[in-house]
Amino acid sequence: MRTLVILFLAFLSLSSMAQKPVRVAVAGLSHGHVGWIFNRKDKTDIQLVGIWEANPDLVKQFTERYKLDPKLFYSDLNKMLDEVKPEAVSAFGAINEHVVVVRACAPRKINVMVEKPLATTFADAKEIQKLATQHGVHVLTNYETSWYASNQHVNQLIQDGKLGEIRKVMVNDGHQGPKEIGVSKEFFAILTDPVKNGAGALVDFGCYGANLMTWLMKGERPLSVTAVTHQNKPDIYKNVDDEASIILQYPKSQCIIQGSWNWSFARKDMEVYGNKGYAIAVNPTVVRQRLQEKAPEETLKLDPRPAPYTDPFSVLADVVQGRIKLDQNDLYGLPVNVTVVEILETAKEAAKTGKTIFLKK
């Protein structure tokens, strides 16, 4: 009887630990997606313990907007990490600052989640991967399209052999443009800076297609990359591209990625054609598919993915506390996202030189 009581108490202790919120700090407030972490008061899986932001105007703005305790804010990243001791940091600054955040966090055994893409250069992406491996921490890259039930359904069709071998994939992402949709001045400054963002639409929206295609191809790198970029609106986007098309060539398949700040309306969709059938992820929950030559096309309305796959911070909490173990080829994981940055960097060079670039083995 005494043994059963001890086991029961141990179980209760483990259950309590599992429910304890993950201590999360925010690095940067300039990214347009940062509002997500302040607009989830109904969830208790994370606890916000600190915010690093050097811009006093942003500090004032967010303190007033979300009624935040001024004691949460730090102007020095290292001081924040040492004083509040977070278990994870979510980065919401410029893309080229991701490596700076990981350099600070990894040696302190602090996990990191960044907004897409992982980095602006392949060298930074590889350094992030090395630091994460060396110090045994997770570095996740948040993509909205990772949560789409439609994309998961299409990938499952591929795994089940219902589409056959992948022959052509087309991924279309973007909107009317950052200025046109009214992003904040701080976020606009990042997106239109070729150093802070890496490029314009090519990085901002080309990264989605590179992420999804690498996932569909189980981590395989393309043989070659071809790209064309353009400025349709140089008066607004004078330093970066607002239009980008990227072609990834594989031994038996091709992917066309169209990232644009010139779409009529916002879109994030994917078309996958195999030698047996095709499936089109129209939006997060709708798929059009045709799986047999003589069968008609059918439209499926899917249920959204279940929790925690509806909220990036819930996934972060579950990864940190061991309830989720990322697959080697996970959309959020480092192997896929290091390849994404390699593709984007190669695409920029291909667009600049006007030549197809073959990747080294």
Side-chain angles (χ1 to χ4, degrees):
M1 183 67 179
R2 185 170 179 273
T3 302
L4 288 174
V5 171
I6 292 172
L7 288 173
F8 180 68
L9 291 174
F11 172 76
L12 288 178
S13 176
L14 287 172
S15 298
S16 175
M17 287 174 60
Q19 298 302 315
K20 187 177 179 181
V22 173
R23 294 172 58 81
V24 175
V26 168
L29 293 172
S30 53
H31 197 288
H33 297 166
V34 70
W36 294 344
I37 197 167
F38 301 115
N39 291 311
R40 57 191 312 277
K41 298 186 186 303
D42 58 321
K43 295 184 173 65
T44 59
D45 47 7
I46 68 169
Q47 177 188 0
L48 182 61
V49 295
I51 301 170
W52 169 54
E53 177 52 63
N55 183 336
D57 291 336
L58 278 176
V59 171
K60 182 175 185 294
Q61 181 186 136
F62 277 79
T63 301
E64 294 175 353
R65 182 187 303 170
Y66 295 105
K67 305 295 186 282
L68 299 171
D69 185 345
K71 293 179 181 178
L72 283 172
F73 291 89
Y74 290 79
S75 59
D76 184 289
L77 174 61
N78 291 300
K79 183 179 180 181
M80 179 188 74
L81 297 178
D82 290 336
E83 289 193 4
V84 307
K85 302 188 185 312
E87 297 170 81
V89 166
S90 190
F92 285 104
I95 307 303
N96 71 327
E97 292 176 357
H98 290 171
V99 68
V100 175
V101 174
V102 176
R103 283 172 186 157
C105 290
R108 292 175 168 87
K109 304 294 184 182
I110 299 170
N111 304 283
V112 178
M113 182 169 70
V114 303
E115 287 302 293
K116 56 80 185 172
L118 175 65
T120 55
T121 70
F122 189 36
D124 282 359
K126 289 189 290 185
E127 181 183 348
I128 288 171
Q129 186 175 43
K130 181 178 179 181
L131 285 166
T133 302
Q134 180 181 346
H135 296 287
V137 298
H138 298 287
V139 178
L140 312 181
T141 304
N142 179 39
Y143 284 84
E144 175 191 344
T145 46
S146 299
W147 312 128
Y148 286 10
S150 56
N151 290 337
Q152 296 292 327
H153 175 83
V154 172
N155 185 54
Q156 192 60 53
L157 290 176
I158 295 169
Q159 303 309 313
D160 294 342
K162 293 183 179 180
L163 300 186
E165 293 185 355
I166 297 175
R167 289 291 183 256
K168 185 176 286 291
V169 176
M170 291 182 281
V171 189
N172 308 303
D173 291 283
H175 49 48
Q176 301 93 316
K179 181 180 179 181
E180 289 83 347
I181 67 169
V183 303
S184 70
K185 65 178 182 179
E186 292 85 7
F187 194 26
F188 185 84
I190 291 173
L191 292 170
T192 57
D193 187 313
V195 175
K196 291 181 178 180
N197 201 58
L202 182 145
V203 165
D204 188 30
F205 284 111
C207 64
Y208 286 98
N211 177 256
L212 289 167
M213 186 60 176
T214 304
W215 174 59
L216 294 178
M217 296 297 290
K218 300 180 181 178
E220 182 179 351
R221 296 161 66 239
L223 298 174
S224 67
V225 180
T226 309
V228 176
T229 58
H230 191 67
Q231 291 172 308
N232 287 345
K233 297 173 282 193
D235 54 323
I236 302 175
Y237 309 110
K238 61 182 180 180
N239 295 320
V240 293
D241 60 280
D242 56 54
E243 190 66 49
S245 295
I246 304 168
I247 301 175
L248 307 180
Q249 186 62 56
Y250 296 81
K252 292 184 178 180
S253 59
Q254 185 180 92
C255 178
I256 300 172
I257 300 168
Q258 298 188 107
S260 175
W261 290 343
N262 292 290
W263 294 113
S264 308
F265 310 103
R267 66 184 300 183
K268 287 187 176 78
D269 52 85
M270 176 177 72
E271 305 175 32
V272 179
Y273 299 86
N275 60 358
K276 290 183 180 179
Y278 68 79
I280 301 171
V282 179
N283 61 38
T285 57
V286 173
V287 173
R288 289 171 29 222
Q289 64 183 38
R290 186 177 174 187
L291 304 182
Q292 296 180 26
E293 184 176 356
K294 295 183 179 180
E297 181 181 273
E298 58 180 333
T299 299
L300 306 179
K301 182 69 172 72
L302 308 171
D303 291 328
R305 296 187 75 193
Y309 300 106
T310 52
D311 182 304
F313 303 102
S314 294
V315 170
L316 175 63
D318 279 7
V319 169
V320 169
Q321 295 188 332
R323 289 184 292 274
I324 291 178
K325 182 175 175 55
L326 295 182
D327 181 75
Q328 170 72 11
N329 191 43
D330 194 278
L331 282 162
Y332 258 42
L334 277 170
V336 164
N337 284 295
V338 170
T339 298
V340 168
V341 179
E342 180 183 18
I343 288 170
L344 295 177
E345 184 173 275
T346 307
K348 286 192 290 182
E349 184 63 21
K352 181 180 177 181
T353 61
K355 297 179 181 179
T356 294
I357 296 179
F358 291 83
L359 272 61
K360 296 179 181 178
K361 294 183 179 180

